[in-house]
Amino acid sequence: MFRRKNKRKRDKYDVIANVIVIFFALLSLFPLYWLITSSFKNSADVVKMPPDWFPTTFNINNYIDVFSNQPALKWAMNSVVVSLVATIALIIVSSLAAYAFSKLQFRGKNIIFIIFISSLMVPKEVLIVPLYRIVDNLGMVNTLHGMIWPNVATAFGVFLLKGFFDSIPDSLRESARMDGASEFKTFIKIMLPLVKPGIGALFILYFVQVWNDYVWQLVIGQDEGVKTLMVGTATLMQDLNPNFAYKMAGATVAAIPLLVIFIFFQRYFTRGLTMGAEKG
């Protein structure tokens, strides 16, 4: 009788908790809903008060204008190239460095790792001027290379992946070495597949970060041909008589790739965060 009463009480609390979670989930999705629905409205309907919670018009001309009057497709391709290449390069460099810090023994390893992690405390905005001078001296201003490679020089991926390599027993590496596998083969064939959840989480987190890296892309890419979607969409806001629905359409186009990336990698992302929580 007492157990049944406790079970009924727990079920009641579970229902209340689920209702609260669903409410806040819908609340967090509301800006996305407002962005997408506003992109199909007329400009006057976007700013009218009281607002139309459901669009009374369905105007696809906003999207047609974005792609016909602006090089939005070129901007989108630039964003995809910059984000994808920078993220893949970061994963390659970070996984190698994280494996070295986790499994290899060399002099000054702990000190070097502390220096790496300390660099995360320096805001990127502080480094913009010296970083721009370096990129300018290398002749990479107004190029996609100037947007890509500075994003690879960060310790974030090393910090994230080292925790995953630390969770792998050293006995696996020792067994592989006894079987005659080289260090690189051990890393590729045994260690790397075991940290796939961490790589998936890093891919999503860093792809989104580079995609949204508006300030650095604005500084480096001033020419129309090298603008990214974030910078190009922001330039739509500079009109004296802005068409707000037109700008909502541009912002929606910029948001769609991030949603697609998260949908495809959410399994690894969730598993990576869960494994990180278990380690903590």
Side-chain angles (χ1 to χ4, degrees):
M1 183 76 177
F2 182 72
R3 288 182 180 177
R4 192 179 303 167
K5 186 177 180 181
N6 281 344
K7 184 177 184 302
R8 212 176 288 137
K9 192 174 181 180
R10 282 199 305 270
D11 291 342
K12 180 182 177 181
Y13 285 139
D14 287 342
V15 171
I16 295 173
N18 288 333
V19 170
I20 294 174
V21 169
I22 292 172
F23 171 75
F24 281 105
L26 293 175
L27 197 64
S28 65
L29 288 174
F30 180 76
L32 182 62
Y33 164 79
W34 186 255
L35 173 69
I36 294 174
T37 56
S38 296
S39 67
F40 292 104
K41 297 177 181 178
N42 297 319
S43 182
D45 293 335
V46 175
V47 296
K48 69 180 290 189
M49 287 293 173
D52 291 330
W53 300 112
F54 301 97
T56 56
T57 60
F58 192 81
N59 185 11
I60 64 170
N61 290 329
N62 298 321
Y63 288 94
I64 295 174
D65 291 342
V66 166
F67 285 98
S68 60
N69 297 336
Q70 303 289 341
L73 192 59
K74 176 67 174 175
W75 296 343
M77 289 303 300
N78 289 341
S79 288
V80 170
V81 170
V82 170
S83 302
L84 197 59
V85 173
T87 304
I88 292 175
L90 176 86
I91 289 173
I92 294 172
V93 173
S94 298
S95 59
L96 289 167
Y99 175 75
F101 281 121
S102 177
K103 299 302 180 185
L104 304 185
Q105 298 299 324
F106 53 91
R107 183 178 297 179
K109 180 176 77 170
N110 294 332
I111 296 175
I112 296 173
F113 184 70
I114 290 173
I115 295 173
F116 261 67
I117 300 306
S118 299
S119 66
L120 294 175
M121 295 186 291
V122 181
K124 189 174 182 180
E125 289 75 15
V126 175
L127 304 175
I128 283 182
V129 173
L131 196 58
Y132 178 84
R133 294 187 65 179
I134 294 173
V135 172
D136 188 29
N137 291 333
L138 293 174
M140 293 193 297
V141 174
N142 281 321
T143 67
L144 298 185
H145 291 287
M147 302 178 195
I148 293 171
W149 302 117
N151 280 305
V152 181
T154 176
F156 174 72
V158 180
F159 171 72
L160 180 66
L161 293 181
K162 183 179 180 296
F164 286 89
F165 281 113
D166 287 343
S167 66
I168 301 174
D170 291 335
S171 57
L172 287 176
R173 175 172 171 266
E174 293 169 2
S175 298
R177 298 307 302 274
M178 290 179 63
D179 289 339
S182 64
E183 195 70 63
F184 186 73
K185 190 172 182 180
T186 302
F187 168 72
I188 294 294
K189 298 290 187 180
I190 297 175
M191 297 295 183
L192 206 58
L194 294 176
V195 298
K196 279 198 297 186
I199 292 174
L202 178 61
F203 184 94
I204 291 181
L205 290 171
Y206 209 70
F207 187 94
V208 172
Q209 181 177 328
V210 177
W211 185 276
N212 292 326
D213 191 10
Y214 170 76
V215 176
W216 180 246
Q217 293 170 5
L218 177 66
V219 170
I220 294 299
Q222 294 293 325
D223 290 348
E224 196 71 23
V226 296
K227 284 183 179 179
T228 58
L229 197 54
M230 284 296 162
V231 177
T233 302
T235 59
L236 299 178
M237 306 292 180
Q238 298 173 0
D239 299 336
L240 293 177
N241 297 309
N243 184 331
F244 292 102
Y246 180 54
K247 293 161 183 38
M248 290 289 186
T252 302
V253 171
I256 287 175
L258 299 183
L259 294 175
V260 173
I261 287 293
F262 183 78
I263 289 171
F264 278 102
F265 284 86
Q266 62 176 332
R267 178 164 58 94
Y268 293 111
F269 181 70
T270 306
R271 203 193 316 170
L273 293 182
T274 303
M275 289 177 66
E278 290 173 352
K279 289 177 211 145

